[in-house]
Amino acid sequence: MKALILVGGFGTRLRPLTLSVPKPLVEFANKPMILHQIEALKEVGVTEVVLAINYQPEVMLNFLKEFENKLGIKITCSQETEPLGTAGPLALARDKLVDGSGEPFFVLNSDVISEYPFAELIQFHNAHGGEATILVTQVNEPSKYGVVVMDEETGKVERFVEKPKAFVGNKINAGIYLLNPSVLGRIQLKPTSIEKQVFPQIAADQKLFAMVLPGFWMDIGQPKDYITGLRLYLDALRKKSPGKLAAGAHVVGNVLVHETAVVGEGCLIGPDVSVGPGCVVEAGVRLSRCTVMRGTRIKKHACVSGSIIGTHSTVGQWARIENMTILGEDVHVGDEIYSNGGVVLPHKEIKSSILKPEIVM
């Protein structure tokens, strides 16, 4: 089987993290975002992953070469010269996706994190005999999204309603699909939306089905949702493989600490924290609801909450970093500095406090 991951553009919503690496390579729970998806695809027998990309393909490919060998899966790029929306890239990658086997292929949005129930999805798709299956997830405020109206018994999709004023349902498109090759016949090589143009057409032919996603789901394409996604991911990890989580007197709730990271005496870490490879957390540090990416040093008695600390950065002694502060790569925060929602571009030194949310160029 094959899969196409829609990588797309510049990852502007996750800047400044995406100023150093393409968005799919931004670390989430101590590994690149896209690797969570590739590993789950490999598990259900996918042998080739095509990345639909219009930005820095060589950076992506060089990086993923190592995983290609490690996982034994083929990874290739299909490069757009102009943005083609969410359906155009499928037409562009047609030759890579169709091999005459008639097997369905996966399509994923690269920002989506979930438990990826690919095996159940294949089973459901084969059973209903339609042309395409989309995964849907249940939300509390459907008026903010495009809602999928479906038959609850069979999963057959009736129609889509964009940001409904009145309640029509609470299931939204989760950005994970399984499509028969025949779907490619419906897509032209031009900017096209799979959600607004292709799926409604398949639904009108009564060949589109939806499966409700078990477990959690999050689009982690922006910082606030990234932090929420981490909480949901660690919750799921607690249920599935609790042994992967950190334990000890200094840990509160769900915490992921990479085996190469060092944590000093008297720290209090958690809940909902990931500490990346090669990090050093010195004595007396307090971390909660945050990500500390690879190669970062958090000095004595610093406090980080509700924030993302980019790779190879330093947080000074007694510094306080909070309220969705995002530090890019190689940012150095001085001792006793306070940051309230600062967004700091890469390679900066912060010598004075950031008292209100602002961008530091």
Side-chain angles (χ1 to χ4, degrees), residues 200-348:
Q201 194 190 0
I202 304 174
D205 293 343
Q206 304 205 339
K207 290 182 174 173
L208 182 64
F209 289 78
M211 177 180 127
V212 180
L213 184 78
F216 79 98
W217 175 88
M218 201 71 214
D219 172 340
I220 54 173
Q222 53 192 342
K224 182 167 63 62
D225 297 336
Y226 177 105
I227 293 289
T228 304
L230 182 64
R231 173 174 62 78
L232 297 170
Y233 175 86
L234 293 175
D235 268 352
L237 198 59
R238 162 80 58 203
K239 292 181 191 118
K240 218 164 54 182
S241 335
K244 291 184 177 169
L245 293 172
H250 64 293
V251 171
V252 187
N254 297 331
V255 173
L256 195 60
V257 176
H258 194 270
E259 66 226 14
T260 59
V262 178
V263 178
E265 291 290 304
C267 291
L268 188 58
I269 299 183
D272 309 324
V273 171
S274 78
V275 177
C279 288
V280 176
V281 178
E282 294 184 3
V285 165
R286 175 76 182 102
L287 302 176
S288 66
R289 302 186 329 283
C290 66
T291 284
V292 179
M293 292 184 180
R294 70 175 57 235
T296 285
R297 179 178 287 265
I298 311 286
K299 294 189 175 174
K300 288 177 185 168
H301 307 294
C303 175
V304 180
S305 70
S307 297
I308 300 174
I309 311 296
T311 55
H312 306 294
S313 293
T314 313
V315 174
Q317 296 188 27
W318 295 101
R320 197 162 127 223
I321 308 284
E322 62 186 29
N323 191 24
M324 213 45 76
T325 290
I326 315 294
L327 305 185
E329 177 189 15
D330 180 40
V331 168
H332 302 282
V333 176
D335 292 350
E336 298 178 36
I337 294 289
Y338 172 58
S339 171
N340 171 22
V343 172
V344 185
L345 272 65
H347 316 299
K348 286 263 160 279

Side-chain angles (χ1 to χ4, degrees), residues 34-273:
I34 200 163
L35 199 55
H36 291 274
Q37 298 185 331
I38 293 173
E39 287 176 350
L41 288 164
K42 160 80 182 165
E43 233 167 79
V44 292
V46 169
T47 54
E48 184 174 348
V49 174
V50 181
L51 308 175
I53 192 168
N54 59 19
Y55 173 59
Q56 294 188 317
E58 50 295 323
V59 178
M60 288 280 289
L61 280 180
N62 290 344
F63 182 87
L64 290 166
K65 273 283 165 267
E66 153 197 4
F67 293 106
E68 208 177 31
N69 302 333
K70 218 187 286 182
L71 295 170
I73 192 168
K74 187 176 173 194
I75 302 171
T76 58
C77 268
S78 169
Q79 192 183 0
E80 308 164 32
T81 47
E82 54 162 340
L84 291 169
T86 48
L90 277 72
L92 186 65
R94 186 189 309 260
D95 297 347
K96 294 184 190 297
L97 293 170
V98 176
D99 56 6
S101 69
E103 282 284 321
F105 57 88
F106 290 98
V107 176
L108 281 75
N109 287 340
S110 68
D111 301 356
V112 168
I113 198 91
S114 79
E115 287 174 66
Y116 307 123
F118 294 149
E120 296 94 309
L121 179 55
I122 294 169
Q123 218 173 344
F124 176 76
H125 181 82
N126 291 339
H128 68 61
E131 201 173 349
T133 306
I134 62 177
L135 277 181
V136 294
T137 186
Q138 201 165 308
V139 290
N140 296 332
E141 288 180 58
S143 60
K144 294 192 336 204
Y145 304 92
V147 171
V148 181
V149 182
M150 57 189 271
D151 181 318
E152 297 292 333
E153 291 295 295
T154 63
K156 185 177 280 187
V157 175
E158 291 159 20
R159 64 186 199 283
F160 296 85
V161 183
E162 196 54 45
K163 297 189 175 155
K165 297 278 182 284
F167 185 85
V168 290
N170 60 0
K171 311 283 193 308
I172 66 162
N173 179 343
I176 298 173
Y177 320 125
L178 190 56
L179 312 177
N180 287 352
S182 58
V183 171
L184 294 170
R186 298 173 178 267
I187 304 170
Q188 293 180 322
L189 185 51
K190 62 179 190 189
T192 316
S193 162
I194 198 164
E195 300 86 357
K196 293 180 179 150
Q197 291 164 279
V198 181
F199 287 155
Q201 194 190 0
I202 304 174
D205 293 343
Q206 304 205 339
K207 290 182 174 173
L208 182 64
F209 289 78
M211 177 180 127
V212 180
L213 184 78
F216 79 98
W217 175 88
M218 201 71 214
D219 172 340
I220 54 173
Q222 53 192 342
K224 182 167 63 62
D225 297 336
Y226 177 105
I227 293 289
T228 304
L230 182 64
R231 173 174 62 78
L232 297 170
Y233 175 86
L234 293 175
D235 268 352
L237 198 59
R238 162 80 58 203
K239 292 181 191 118
K240 218 164 54 182
S241 335
K244 291 184 177 169
L245 293 172
H250 64 293
V251 171
V252 187
N254 297 331
V255 173
L256 195 60
V257 176
H258 194 270
E259 66 226 14
T260 59
V262 178
V263 178
E265 291 290 304
C267 291
L268 188 58
I269 299 183
D272 309 324
V273 171

